[in-house]
């Protein structure tokens, strides 16, 4: 008897230790997955924070930046089907580890062009003569022999272009981002399924919530990293900063974009390490069985359908068996009218959201004349936390209000509509175009004529029309270059250079100009705080409907179609929103450019200045137009959803009546059997028992 007790104690201790070890391993996996989520969110948001830096560094238009940004989704879509199917049958932690390594390699490849293409050069009229503070004259009056037919200087490619590769360096950024998309694919489906398989029912939701919360923190640090790197000059450590004539607010400034990708790559590589040491599978969580259960009850609980969604990692399913029912099931799903309308609405709204978020830092830079560093800082500190708080509050309100499916739909629609109405006020928050002679206004300051770069005051200077080296005149007007301002002399070096005898600035021709744009921020400085406040409020209100809207997706379809519905929804939104939205938003923004830069070896570069009014109308107009279309589609959606709920309610009532009638018939049969078989003195007791059951 003593030996039996010792054996039982040893067995119980072993089981307790085993459960503790399994719990510890699962918690280690949770920490590792949270870190991986943080790393991928950080690198993704950092990519969006470097949009203007990449445009200027590689001299490419906005639509190509949209192609680069959408390439992440392309890489994801290339392997998502293979990962979702084969990943569940393989070693999931190691598959996630390999994905993190691929993400890290892709991030390093994005930074690679910085170490290949050499130092960054930009147009400037400042030339420093050795041992002298006197610079050559910007107005070259002796260049008439080299003029072209239209009276301007010929465009001569820079030296060294003969050996320049025809392959643009931004291709490396594109390929690196595709590789990032491929590597990111297994993190979410395999990580969440691993937690769901080996965590108990009550802990699984908590663990998934923790992971999702960490993924919201990542973009905050991504934008803050982008803000820090945008302040640092791209070639920091290789050039003397006192010789740099531009500031972070200049349209030619390029920050140390590559530095952030190296940091993000290292963080992503570190996130892969723990997954290599985690097991392929853990013991399945045992259901909570009451102490006093018969063997039959215990067997029934083990075979409960509540546990059928838990699969062993070693369990294999035939691909033919899975594919046989795929097309009919997909046809059934797409024939569901409410789901189809929901899919269309979310695709259109995500087009609006992705396009807006991708180019919002650039909008702040161009429209309110803020530096890229400040724009990224505000996105990370103000907008992203507002979105996270809105999503959390939306889920909390849905729980407190106990919203059903129609209530969730109305709540999501209402918050989106309020955010839409508030967004209309953005049109009123405008800044005037920067006063640039020959670009946004004529030299006589009377009319706008973008083709009047050359006028009587600078015709004798034989200037290049492609240069962008703005100077600020004493009259408060910005000129495209010192040459086009008619400046004949310059003194000083770097940012302290002063141009004098500028014939286009004043009638007497003896006014001076300094490097850079004229401030002209009075109207923008007053309007910018209101823009930020309204932006935070609209972001919070729109995000309130995120969680109820997602619950609508889950509840509007049959449970057996839920997994396919979620997967197809993710596939459709990535393909029809994540990829095209940044491209056509960028292409439309490009149409508002007033002055394009010049590539070093010839060709059109990045845009130097935009038409502020046209930019605002194009950016906000496209965003709100897409949301208007989605609201129109919602109208038949509400009608169909109401009809579906009424039909389900009628079916439930008929089912209840049918079950009630069957139960009544069974009771009557029991009464008949009892009355025919029991003795007479039991009749009163059976009658009372029948009445009780009825």
């Amino acid at each position: 008897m003593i030996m039996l007790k010792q054996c039982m104690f040893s067995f119980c201790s072993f089981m307790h230790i085993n459960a503790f070890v399994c719990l510890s391993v699962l918690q280690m996996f949770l920490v590792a997955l949270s870190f991986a989520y943080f790393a991928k969110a950080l690198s993704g948001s950092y990519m969006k924070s470097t949009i203007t830096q990449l445009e200027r560094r590689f001299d490419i238009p906005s639509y190509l930046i949209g192609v680069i940004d959408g390439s992440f989704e392309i890489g994801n879509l290339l392997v998502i089907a293979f990962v979702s199917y084969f990943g569940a049958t393989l070693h999931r932690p190691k598959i996630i580890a390999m994905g993190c390594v691929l993400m890290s390699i892709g991030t390093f490849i994005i930074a690679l062009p910085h170490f290949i293409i050499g130092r960054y050069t930009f147009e400037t009229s400042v030339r420093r003569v050795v041992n002298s503070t006197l610079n050559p004259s910007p107005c070259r009056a002796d260049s008439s022999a080299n003029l072209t037919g239209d009276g301007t200087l010929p465009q001569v490619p820079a030296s060294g272009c003969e050996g320049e590769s025809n392959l643009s360096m931004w291709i490396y950024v594109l390929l690196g981002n595709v590789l990032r998309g491929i590597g990111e694919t297994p993190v979410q489906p395999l990580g969440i399924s691993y937690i769901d398989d080996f965590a108990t029912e009550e802990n699984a939701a908590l663990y998934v919530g923790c992971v999702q919360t960490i993924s919201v923190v990542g973009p905050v640090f991504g934008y803050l990293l982008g803000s820090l790197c945008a302040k640092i000059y791209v070639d920091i450590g290789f050039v003397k900063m006192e010789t740099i004539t531009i500031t972070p607010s200049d349209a030619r400034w390029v920050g140390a974009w590559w530095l952030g990708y190296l940091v993000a790559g290292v963080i992503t590589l570190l996130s892969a390490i723990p997954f290599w040491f985690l097991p392929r599978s853990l013991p399945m969580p045992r259901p909570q069985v009451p102490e006093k259960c018969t063997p039959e009850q215990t067997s029934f609980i083990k075979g409960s359908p509540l546990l059928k969604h838990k699969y062993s990692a070693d369990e294999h399913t035939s691909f033919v068996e899975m594919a046989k029912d795929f097309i009919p099931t997909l046809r059934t799903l797409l024939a569901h009218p409410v789901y189809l309308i929901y899919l269309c609405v979310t695709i259109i709204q995500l087009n609006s959201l992705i396009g807006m978020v991708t180019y919002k830092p650039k909008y702040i830079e161009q429209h309110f004349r803020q530096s890229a560093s400040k724009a990224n800082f505000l996105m990370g500190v103000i907008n992203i936390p507002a979105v996270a708080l809105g999503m959390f509050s939306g889920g909390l309100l849905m729980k407190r209000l106990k919203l059903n499916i129609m209530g969730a739909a109305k709540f999501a629609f209402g918050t989106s509509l309020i955010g839409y109405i508030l967004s209309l006020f953005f049109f009123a928050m405008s800044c005037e175009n920067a006063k640039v002679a020959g670009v946004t206004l004529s030299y006589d300051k009377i009319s706008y004529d973008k083709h009047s770069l050359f006028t009587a005051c600078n015709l004798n200077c034989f200037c290049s029309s492609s240069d962008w080296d703005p100077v600020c005149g004493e009259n408060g007007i910005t000129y495209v270059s010192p040459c086009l301002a008619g400046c004949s002399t310059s003194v000083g070096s770097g940012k302290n250079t002063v141009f004098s005898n500028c014939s286009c600035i004043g009638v007497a021709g003896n006014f001076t100009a300094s490097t850079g744009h004229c401030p002209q921020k009075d109207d923008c400085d007053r309007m910018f705080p209101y823009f930020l406040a309204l932006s935070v409020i609209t972001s919070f209100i729109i995000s309130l409907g995120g969680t109820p809207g997602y619950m609508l997706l889950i509840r509007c379809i049959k449970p057996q179609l839920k997994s396919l519905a979620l997967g197809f929804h993710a596939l459709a939104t990535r393909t029809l929103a994540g990829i095209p939205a940044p491209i056509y938003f960028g292409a439309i923004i490009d149409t508002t450019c007033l002055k394009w830069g010049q590539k070093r070896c010839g060709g059109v570069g990045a845009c130097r200045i935009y038409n502020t009014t046209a930019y605002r109308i194009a950016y906000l107009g496209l965003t709100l137009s897409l949301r208007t279309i989605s609201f129109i589609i919602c109208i038949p959606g509400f009608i169909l959803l109401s009809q579906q709920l009424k039909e389900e309610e009628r079916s439930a009532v008929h089912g209840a009546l049918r079950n009630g009638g069957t139960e009544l018939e069974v009771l009557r049969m029991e009464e008949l059997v009892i009355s025919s078989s029991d003795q007479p003195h039991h009749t009163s007791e059976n009658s009372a028992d029948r009445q009780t059951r009825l």
Side-chain angles (χ1 to χ4, degrees):
M1 191 68 178
I2 295 176
M3 291 294 294
L4 180 61
K5 289 182 178 180
Q6 290 178 346
C7 291
M8 290 296 294
F9 177 78
S10 300
F11 177 75
C12 293
S13 300
F14 172 76
M15 292 301 294
H16 176 73
I17 293 173
N18 189 34
F20 176 76
V21 170
C22 293
L23 181 61
S24 299
V25 172
L26 187 60
Q27 290 176 344
M28 288 174 58
F29 180 85
L30 176 65
V31 172
L33 186 65
S34 299
F35 189 38
Y37 263 71
F38 172 82
K40 75 182 185 71
L42 183 144
S43 58
S45 57
Y46 182 76
M47 163 63 76
K48 294 190 180 297
S49 74
T50 58
I51 280 180
T52 53
Q53 313 295 315
L54 296 175
E55 281 186 20
R56 298 168 185 173
R57 186 63 185 94
F58 298 109
D59 278 321
I60 54 178
S62 296
Y63 83 89
L64 276 182
I65 285 293
V67 173
I68 293 173
D69 188 70
S71 64
F72 178 85
E73 305 292 349
I74 295 175
N76 203 290
L77 292 173
L78 287 175
V79 295
I80 190 170
F82 299 98
V83 169
S84 299
Y85 174 68
F86 293 105
T89 61
L90 301 174
H91 197 302
R92 282 178 285 185
K94 289 187 177 180
I95 296 295
I96 296 174
M98 287 188 284
C100 292
V101 171
L102 283 178
M103 278 197 295
S104 177
I105 294 173
T107 308
F108 288 137
I109 290 176
I110 293 175
L112 182 63
H114 172 74
F115 304 97
I116 298 177
I117 57 180
R119 304 290 168 256
Y120 172 59
T121 57
F122 53 89
E123 314 103 307
T124 180
S125 299
V126 177
R127 298 288 185 269
R128 185 172 181 177
V129 180
V130 180
N131 299 326
S132 174
T133 58
L134 184 63
N135 292 328
S137 171
C139 182
R140 298 180 293 272
D142 58 345
S143 304
S144 57
N146 300 323
L147 292 179
T148 60
D150 58 357
T152 61
L153 288 174
Q155 303 300 322
V156 180
S159 59
C161 289
E162 296 80 7
E164 189 88 0
S165 172
N166 292 326
L167 180 64
S168 299
M169 288 294 107
W170 62 266
I171 295 293
Y172 289 98
V173 182
L174 177 72
L175 295 177
N177 209 32
V178 170
L179 197 58
R180 276 188 58 245
I182 294 174
E184 189 266 351
T185 306
V187 176
Q188 180 174 357
L190 300 188
I192 298 300
S193 66
Y194 193 91
I195 290 176
D196 188 56
D197 283 350
F198 303 121
T200 58
E201 293 286 345
E202 61 271 15
N203 288 337
L206 175 63
Y207 292 163
V208 172
C210 291
V211 171
Q212 297 293 346
T213 303
I214 295 297
S215 67
V216 176
V217 178
V220 175
F221 285 89
Y223 278 106
L224 291 180
L225 180 62
S227 174
L228 176 64
C229 293
K231 290 182 180 179
I232 306 172
Y233 186 65
V234 60
D235 292 322
I236 185 70
F238 295 95
V239 296
K240 294 181 179 180
M241 293 306 298
E242 58 268 17
T243 64
I244 303 300
T245 62
I246 56 177
T247 62
S249 59
D250 195 287
R252 295 164 293 172
W253 176 272
V254 175
W257 60 274
W258 53 273
L259 183 59
Y261 286 110
L262 295 182
V263 173
V266 170
I267 293 175
T268 309
L269 187 61
L270 291 176
S271 70
I273 296 175
F275 292 104
W276 296 107
F277 303 99
L278 292 170
R280 176 173 181 170
S281 61
L282 297 172
M284 302 296 290
R286 295 180 179 274
Q288 299 296 325
V289 183
E291 292 182 0
K292 297 181 179 180
C293 286
T294 64
E296 292 79 6
Q297 290 174 323
T298 304
S299 176
F300 175 76
I301 292 175
K302 289 181 179 178
S304 173
L306 295 175
L307 300 177
K308 286 186 178 179
H309 71 285
K310 307 279 189 181
Y311 293 101
S312 172
D314 300 322
E315 192 173 310
H316 295 270
T317 306
S318 171
F319 180 78
V320 177
E321 294 176 1
M322 295 175 63
K324 189 191 308 180
D325 296 329
F326 176 74
I327 298 299
T329 306
L330 181 62
R331 190 182 297 116
T332 302
L333 178 65
L334 295 180
H336 195 294
V338 176
Y339 175 79
L340 193 60
I341 289 180
Y342 179 89
L343 189 65
C344 294
V345 169
T346 52
I347 287 175
I348 295 173
Q349 289 210 345
L350 280 175
N351 269 272
S352 173
L353 177 65
I354 292 172
M356 180 195 68
V357 171
T358 301
Y359 293 101
K360 190 168 187 177
K362 182 173 180 175
Y363 179 75
I364 294 175
E365 292 177 47
Q366 298 295 332
H367 193 270
F368 295 98
R369 303 182 191 117
Q370 303 293 326
S371 66
S373 176
K374 187 173 182 179
N376 291 328
F377 178 81
L378 293 173
M379 283 289 292
V381 173
I382 297 179
N383 272 86
I384 302 299
V387 172
L389 181 62
M391 294 176 64
F392 175 79
S393 302
L396 190 62
L397 284 174
M398 188 174 182
K399 180 180 179 181
R400 290 286 177 87
L401 299 175
K402 299 179 180 179
L403 299 177
N404 56 14
I405 183 172
M406 179 59 77
K410 291 179 179 178
F411 186 86
F413 180 83
T415 55
S416 184
L417 183 60
I418 294 173
Y420 172 83
I421 295 172
L422 291 176
S423 298
L424 294 175
F425 289 97
F426 284 127
F427 283 102
M429 298 179 179
S430 61
C431 292
E432 294 181 359
N433 279 317
K435 297 178 181 179
V436 182
V439 178
T440 61
L441 78 165
S442 61
Y443 282 85
D444 57 13
K445 311 174 194 62
I446 297 176
S447 60
Y448 163 73
D449 183 5
K450 65 179 181 180
H451 299 295
S452 61
L453 279 176
F454 299 98
T455 188
C457 62
N458 59 26
L459 278 179
N460 295 327
C461 293
F462 311 114
C463 308
S464 171
S465 60
S466 62
D467 285 347
W468 179 260
D469 187 19
V471 292
C472 178
E474 283 187 18
N475 56 358
I477 304 297
T478 301
Y479 296 84
V480 172
S481 69
C483 183
L484 289 169
C487 302
S488 58
T489 59
S490 61
V491 178
S493 62
K495 299 174 185 177
N496 299 319
T497 302
V498 177
F499 301 93
S500 56
N501 297 327
C502 303
S503 59
C504 294
I505 295 179
V507 179
N510 58 356
F511 287 90
T512 60
S514 57
T515 57
H517 275 272
C518 293
Q520 295 176 351
K521 284 188 174 182
D522 293 341
D523 57 335
C524 288
D525 286 342
R526 289 193 300 267
M527 195 65 66
F528 190 52
Y530 296 105
F531 170 82
L532 290 179
L534 185 60
S535 178
V536 170
I537 294 172
T538 54
S539 298
F540 174 78
I541 292 176
I542 293 174
S543 300
L544 280 174
T547 302
Y550 195 75
M551 295 308 297
L552 172 62
L553 168 64
I554 296 175
R555 295 180 180 178
C556 73
I557 51 177
K558 296 179 180 179
Q560 58 267 31
L561 296 175
K562 186 184 300 182
S563 298
L564 180 61
L566 293 173
F568 189 80
H569 177 266
L571 177 67
T573 52
R574 285 177 181 270
T575 306
L576 301 178
I579 296 175
I583 299 175
Y584 66 77
F585 262 81
I588 292 176
I589 290 173
D590 284 338
T591 62
T592 67
C593 183
L594 294 176
K595 183 74 170 67
W596 291 95
Q598 185 78 15
K599 289 185 179 180
R600 189 174 70 91
C601 295
V604 177
C607 184
R608 298 305 188 191
I609 184 171
Y610 291 88
N611 184 334
T612 303
T613 303
Y615 194 129
R616 182 179 71 255
I617 294 173
Y619 175 74
L620 297 177
L622 182 58
T623 300
L624 296 179
S625 297
L626 289 170
R627 289 168 65 181
T628 302
I629 296 172
S630 69
F631 289 145
I632 295 174
I633 300 177
C634 282
I635 297 174
F638 274 108
I639 297 173
L640 292 172
L641 179 61
S642 178
Q643 293 176 352
Q644 175 183 323
L645 294 177
K646 289 180 180 179
E647 182 65 29
E648 290 177 355
E649 185 177 355
R650 283 195 295 266
S651 300
V653 171
H654 292 162
L657 292 175
R658 193 181 310 113
N659 293 334
T662 304
E663 184 178 354
L664 184 61
E665 186 66 26
V666 169
L667 291 176
R668 288 175 177 172
M669 291 295 294
E670 288 181 359
E671 178 191 5
L672 183 61
V673 171
I674 292 172
S675 60
S676 61
S677 59
D678 289 356
Q679 296 180 359
H681 66 274
H682 291 149
T683 302
S684 59
E685 296 179 3
N686 291 332
S687 178
D689 182 60
R690 182 183 66 83
Q691 292 178 356
T692 301
R693 283 183 289 176
L694 285 173

